[in-house]
Amino acid sequence: MSPEPYPVVEKPFGKALAVLGERFPELVVVDADLVRATDTAEFRSRFPSRHWNVGVAEANMVGIATGLALSGKTAFCGTFACFASQRVCDQAVLAAYCHAPVVICGVEPALTSGSNGATHQGMLDLAIMRAIPNMRVFEAADATETSSMVEYTLLHPGTTYMRVPRAKAPVILDPDTYRFEAGRAVRLRDGADVTIIASGIMLARALQAAQALAAEGVGARVVNMSSLKPIDEAEILSAAQETGCLVTAENHNLIGGLGSAVAEVLASRARVPLVRVGVQDVFGEVGPIDWLADKFGISSAHIARAAREAISLKANKGRPVQA
Amino acid sequence: MGETPAIAELKAMCADIRRDIVRMIHAGGSGHPGGSLSVVEILTALYFRVMRIDPHNPTWDGRDRLILSKGHASSALYAVLARRGFFPVENLRTFNAPGTTLQKHIDMHRVPGVEVSSGSLGQGLSVGVGMALADRLDLRDRRVFVVLSDGECQAGQTWEAAMAAAHYGLGKLMALVDHNRLQTDGTIAEIMGISPLEDKWRAFGWGVRRIDGHDLEQILDVVREAEAEPAKPQVIIAVTVKGKGISYMENSVPWHSHPIDDEQLRLALQELDEAAKEMVAP
């Protein structure tokens, strides 16, 4: 089942850069031979002197962005999420250590890079980036949030890693009212039995799962946790208190991403069951996203199943149910 | 010291800086004497004669900028910055002590005059490229100097950056390679040879010059000469002696990273004093 009840916007990330480039002259962009994936061609044609393509040299891309950022610029640089993290970890550390306003953008994260297969499916980018001090880590859920996030990093400069969609993205959040803010989660649906915390493409799936659960008489709260770091601890703790169990849903390896981040908050603050939906520490393969989501356990059906499991764990006071 | 100190004054300054370096590493309990002593003349010439800077206003917008990509030579940079007036020379005593601003590898936010944190090798030239691009975009007439170790010429990112600098024609970017020919595990030649170094840089599209990196006049001349060629980035291969000035450290691999004990300090200062006396004598 594919979550497609939403209108679609073309290239929200590239559009945001091109539009905001006018208002923020300090905005510059560095690419590494993937303008076609980062959707920066429009920015490049509007602001040719503020765009550089350094070729297949991701480390150099982040290093150059750091130099630009230490000269008064907010320097966006991007490539596929796998390369924007794995290939540039130490360069990202230097940018963060220097407090340089470098915004590293990982496009087509994890299984959304479906047709490219395992080498191109960045499933550990959030784990890598979350572990870097002074690094903010965001993941946009839709077109609205993508442009709002870009604007936020310009209004509040700082070293940032953000996951952004390539090409098309759905519109889930209201572009007239929604404003992204670091450290603030947003509740999209309320329910008393379980809370599903999702980020990125998993938000649409979480909403779909909540709908399916509602048909069974289960009330699921859905929270968009687009700021993984800083994370909205209050929202996690109130969900734990008010719904008694949690599910996390992420398009990422289960080690180090959203589920881990939520578990870190719960570990010392609340004793409630948490069931994490994500990729089970395996490499991906080629395939359309919905097929991959089914195969690798991150479909809306998997979220709904996890929600039922979390609720039964709650009923059993955290002890696993005997099969 | 005036705005344009004479060579004799610069030589005396280098001697002071070498004393600072060995005292700092002795006091700090560890450090990198070899590569700090080899880069003294390069940094002294740049900070005291070449660069447009204002020690009282370290973030002045019109300043030239220097990146010490070989961040383990921090003791040399700290001594030069202190002697140039960026912060009190007394602070040097805190090198590498708990709570110090003078970390063994450099934190730009703790030390006035430092442009970029460094310590993880091979990254400085990329940052320099970014700075030079920003200056060009903003029509700022200022220069970027990047001081590299020869060991960093083994790192892939250095060459990614070299390629980019030439591609963008960054004439305001100058790299200086402290070519002391040794690295942590042995000689460059035996660990991973980089020669012919000049040919490599030339092939990457840079203007290349080779000098004696301890000859202040040569350094000043060659910088001037290189700046007269603004169409492409310029690199100066400064051939140096690792551990320069302290006989038992010179050309010695273990002194790349090594503490200095009381007796070693006494001998080092004695040698530096004797050399200084010879310098003054006709």
Side-chain angles (χ1 to χ4, degrees):
Chain A
M1 265 199 312
S2 170
E4 279 174 358
Y6 304 104
V8 161
V9 166
E10 292 286 335
K11 302 183 178 177
F13 176 61
K15 279 212 183 78
L17 290 175
V19 169
L20 292 164
E22 207 71 62
R23 206 172 112 207
F24 296 92
E26 71 273 26
L27 166 54
V28 297
V29 174
V30 191
D31 268 293
D33 198 33
L34 275 174
V35 168
R36 281 168 59 181
T38 53
D39 297 333
T40 50
E42 193 181 339
F43 179 90
R44 182 182 57 187
S45 65
R46 286 178 71 171
F47 310 101
S49 66
R50 286 153 59 189
H51 179 273
W52 298 274
N53 189 340
V54 302
V56 187
E58 292 80 4
N60 195 35
M61 170 182 76
V62 175
I64 288 175
T66 301
L68 287 158
L70 293 175
S71 310
K73 308 299 175 194
T74 297
F76 279 68
C77 56
T79 173
F80 291 131
C82 47
F83 308 140
S85 53
Q86 294 153 218
R87 287 175 76 98
V88 304
C89 177
D90 199 29
Q91 290 72 25
V93 168
L94 179 67
Y97 190 42
C98 292
H99 301 194
V102 172
V103 183
I104 303 174
C105 302
V107 301
E108 259 193 2
L111 296 181
T112 59
S113 191
S115 67
N116 281 319
T119 56
H120 285 53
Q121 293 165 342
M123 295 209 210
L124 49 140
D125 53 332
L126 300 176
I128 291 169
M129 292 298 175
R130 257 183 3 99
I132 300 175
N134 196 44
M135 180 70 76
R136 304 182 296 191
V137 181
F138 307 149
E139 178 173 25
D142 76 338
T144 303
E145 190 160 52
T146 300
S147 42
S148 183
M149 212 172 252
V150 172
E151 184 180 26
Y152 181 88
T153 58
L154 288 159
L155 290 169
H156 307 273
T159 319
T160 307
Y161 177 76
M162 77 166 65
R163 272 182 160 196
V164 295
R166 175 185 181 175
K168 286 192 286 241
V171 180
I172 303 170
L173 302 156
D174 182 354
D176 293 330
T177 57
Y178 179 76
R179 292 292 173 271
F180 169 81
E181 207 179 294
R184 194 194 61 172
V186 171
R187 212 175 291 181
L188 275 93
R189 182 182 174 121
D190 218 344
D193 302 315
V194 60
T195 299
I196 304 167
I197 299 176
S199 65
I201 61 156
M202 299 305 284
L203 179 64
R205 286 168 174 76
L207 289 165
Q208 200 178 24
Q211 216 170 341
L213 290 164
E216 301 166 15
V218 174
R221 177 183 293 183
V222 176
V223 171
N224 179 32
M225 192 61 77
S226 46
S227 174
L228 281 88
K229 187 184 164 189
I231 200 162
D232 190 339
E233 295 195 3
E235 184 64 25
I236 295 169
L237 294 172
S238 65
Q241 197 175 14
E242 289 157 25
T243 67
C245 63
L246 304 177
V247 168
T248 53
E250 62 192 304
N251 172 34
H252 187 269
N253 192 2
L254 275 179
I255 296 172
L258 175 66
S260 299
V262 171
E264 286 157 18
V265 174
L266 292 179
S268 55
R269 312 275 292 274
R271 275 170 177 251
V272 297
L274 164 68
V275 180
R276 296 173 301 138
V277 172
V279 178
Q280 310 271 334
D281 201 21
V282 291
F283 288 106
E285 61 183 270
V286 294
I289 176 63
D290 292 323
W291 185 83
L292 290 169
D294 282 339
K295 169 150 189 175
F296 289 95
I298 63 165
S299 69
S300 59
H302 287 97
I303 299 172
R305 197 178 310 155
R308 290 183 209 106
E309 188 190 343
I311 291 166
S312 68
L313 284 168
K314 173 167 65 165
N316 285 281
K317 297 203 162 48
R319 283 186 294 276
V321 190
Q322 295 301 315
Chain B
M1 196 176 284
E3 273 301 292
T4 48
I7 294 294
E9 288 179 280
L10 288 180
K11 278 187 182 164
M13 181 56 70
C14 289
D16 287 342
I17 287 163
R18 286 202 161 83
R19 286 190 198 92
D20 292 336
I21 290 170
V22 292
R23 285 198 182 105
M24 286 162 79
I25 295 172
H26 169 259
S30 71
H32 293 83
S36 297
L37 292 163
S38 64
V39 81
V40 168
E41 279 77 13
I42 296 170
L43 292 180
T44 302
L46 290 173
Y47 274 96
F48 284 85
R49 275 283 291 271
V50 176
M51 290 168 65
R52 283 169 300 189
I53 44 172
D54 179 1
H56 305 294
N57 187 6
T59 57
W60 166 49
D61 202 44
R63 73 194 184 279
D64 291 332
R65 297 195 282 179
L66 183 142
I67 300 169
L68 184 64
S69 189
K70 47 172 287 182
H72 55 281
S74 58
S75 52
L77 181 63
Y78 296 155
V80 167
L81 289 174
R83 297 271 167 196
R84 188 68 178 82
F86 282 90
F87 57 87
V89 173
E90 301 86 76
N91 290 11
L92 296 177
R93 275 180 286 184
T94 70
F95 177 73
N96 220 29
T100 186
T101 56
L102 306 179
Q103 307 278 305
K104 186 153 77 181
H105 295 97
I106 303 167
D107 179 353
M108 61 181 280
H109 297 292
R110 297 184 198 232
V111 190
V114 171
E115 298 288 347
V116 181
S117 303
S118 59
S120 176
L121 295 176
Q123 298 196 46
L125 194 57
S126 293
V127 179
V129 169
M131 288 181 168
L133 287 172
D135 288 343
R136 186 159 73 184
L137 179 62
D138 294 340
L139 306 174
R140 272 201 213 94
D141 182 29
R142 59 183 190 180
R143 299 169 290 178
V144 180
F145 299 93
V146 182
V147 177
L148 302 165
S149 66
D150 44 10
E152 287 187 287
C153 295
Q154 295 165 334
Q157 194 183 342
T158 296
W159 297 106
E160 292 181 6
M163 193 182 287
H167 181 82
Y168 296 127
L170 297 177
K172 296 279 185 185
L173 179 68
M174 186 179 294
L176 299 100
V177 180
D178 178 9
H179 193 13
N180 60 35
R181 293 155 295 170
L182 301 184
Q183 60 188 116
T184 310
D185 283 350
T187 67
I188 296 268
E190 69 191 4
I191 300 300
M192 183 51 65
I194 57 173
S195 66
L197 191 56
E198 287 97 315
D199 289 351
K200 287 191 172 75
W201 284 97
R202 207 167 282 124
F204 272 74
W206 287 57
V208 186
R209 287 168 182 79
R210 186 187 182 96
I211 55 159
D212 172 353
H214 298 301
D215 184 326
L216 288 158
E217 278 169 275
Q218 272 192 46
I219 298 172
L220 294 171
D221 286 349
V222 82
V223 167
R224 208 172 303 123
E225 206 182 295
E227 284 188 326
E229 211 186 319
K232 55 183 177 182
Q234 303 292 323
V235 60
I236 295 168
I237 312 292
V239 179
T240 58
V241 173
K242 200 155 180 173
K244 174 74 177 175
I246 319 289
S247 58
Y248 62 88
M249 293 185 191
E250 284 190 359
N251 294 312
S252 159
V253 169
W255 282 99
H256 169 81
S257 170
H258 204 289
I260 297 175
D261 68 22
D262 294 346
E263 178 59 11
Q264 287 161 340
L265 177 68
R266 192 186 64 76
L267 286 171
L269 291 174
Q270 191 181 315
E271 278 193 33
L272 291 170
D273 287 346
E274 278 163 20
K277 263 180 236 154
E278 278 170 39
M279 225 159 57
V280 175

